[in-house]
Amino acid sequence: MGLVSLICTLLVVVIIIIAVALSKTAHPRTTPLRHSELVYLVPQPRKFINRTPTIVVHRQNPRIWQKHVEDLSTLVKAYRERQGAIATSNCDLHYAPIGVSSCSFPLDRISDNCTVQNNFGYDTGNPCVALVFNAFAGWNPVPYNKSNLADIPPEIRHGYDFQQLIPITCNTSVASSGESNIFHIYYSPFPGFPFRYLPMRGMMGSTLPPLVMIQFIGPQSMADVEVSCYLWAKNLPRNVTNDPGSIRFSFFIV
């Protein structure tokens, strides 16, 4: 057991050293988006050999987690500045004032846990990530018909208004034990992308693509966590190679 513990410790150290070195690389948004990607992830996971792209969450090393905080803070700041520079109005899922040409995205409804003031949860091992709709993909979602439950996947059969938003779900599994969904997952400001804010919706759309801030809260111990998130629409096939509506990454939490 002593040798196994030593090897595990050395692996952790190596991963952290690599992550620190990579933390000086370019901002995640400088990586070109493929037009087939319907969503992109902030912060961008790092690519390691023989493992899923990984976000390293080192609670005791600000040099690592501050880079993730900066990436998310830059994203939210860009939204606030852009919306402050144009004429937008407050709307919600079901209502927009008469004559409104653009709805501001409700950043104030993002969870307080997923803010720069709380370091987006990285200093406590409860990280937040943002899934952002790729406005350049040219994809027009077709919602499920709630009156035909047989056609709706069981994962989203209840609790969603398909005429108002495209649901997003995430699940987790711990690599070492195989345990599933031991993390509590919270979505804000909505559990998906509202149609009202999609760019292709024209006059009633936001000038910025919608985003979903997702927080993962789990056991306060070291964990290697696989994450799979899915975008759900009738014209998004599941269980296909290179599923355009899914995004997979992992957290290495120490």
Side-chain angles (χ1 to χ4, degrees), residues 12 38-39 54 61 64 66 120 126 134 138-139 142 160 175 182 189 198 233 246 252:
V12 171
L38 302 183
V39 294
T54 302
N61 191 334
I64 294 178
Q66 280 178 354
F120 293 94
N126 298 309
N134 178 11
W139 174 68
V142 176
Y160 295 95
I182 64 171
L198 296 184
S246 68
F252 193 85

Side-chain angles (χ1 to χ4, degrees), residues 57-73:
V57 183
H58 194 308
R59 288 165 285 192
Q60 305 304 319
N61 191 334
R63 186 179 179 185
I64 294 178
W65 59 254
Q66 280 178 354
K67 181 64 171 65
H68 305 323
V69 171
E70 289 171 6
D71 290 342
L72 286 164
S73 179

Side-chain angles (χ1 to χ4, degrees), residues 2-15 222 252:
L3 180 59
V4 173
S5 297
L6 177 61
I7 292 173
C8 291
T9 302
L10 289 174
L11 285 174
V12 171
V13 172
V14 169
I15 289 175
M222 189 176 77
F252 193 85

Side-chain angles (χ1 to χ4, degrees), residues 17-97:
I17 291 173
I18 293 173
V20 170
L22 287 174
S23 68
K24 297 182 179 180
T25 60
H27 188 277
R29 291 298 305 277
T30 62
T31 302
L33 271 176
R34 296 193 302 270
H35 286 282
S36 60
E37 293 178 331
L38 302 183
V39 294
Y40 64 88
L41 180 69
V42 179
Q44 188 180 51
R46 306 302 182 184
K47 293 183 179 180
F48 297 101
I49 298 174
N50 296 327
R51 67 173 289 124
T52 308
T54 302
I55 297 173
V56 178
V57 183
H58 194 308
R59 288 165 285 192
Q60 305 304 319
N61 191 334
R63 186 179 179 185
I64 294 178
W65 59 254
Q66 280 178 354
K67 181 64 171 65
H68 305 323
V69 171
E70 289 171 6
D71 290 342
L72 286 164
S73 179
T74 298
L75 175 70
V76 174
K77 182 180 178 182
Y79 270 66
R80 291 194 185 280
E81 290 180 348
R82 181 70 181 276
Q83 292 188 156
I86 57 178
T88 59
S89 299
N90 293 327
C91 311
D92 61 27
L93 285 179
H94 305 280
Y95 168 79

Side-chain angles (χ1 to χ4, degrees), residues 150-168:
D151 287 345
I152 301 175
E155 294 91 338
I156 58 167
R157 195 163 290 169
H158 304 287
Y160 295 95
D161 187 342
F162 300 114
Q163 299 307 309
Q164 300 298 334
L165 60 75
I166 312 164
I168 289 176

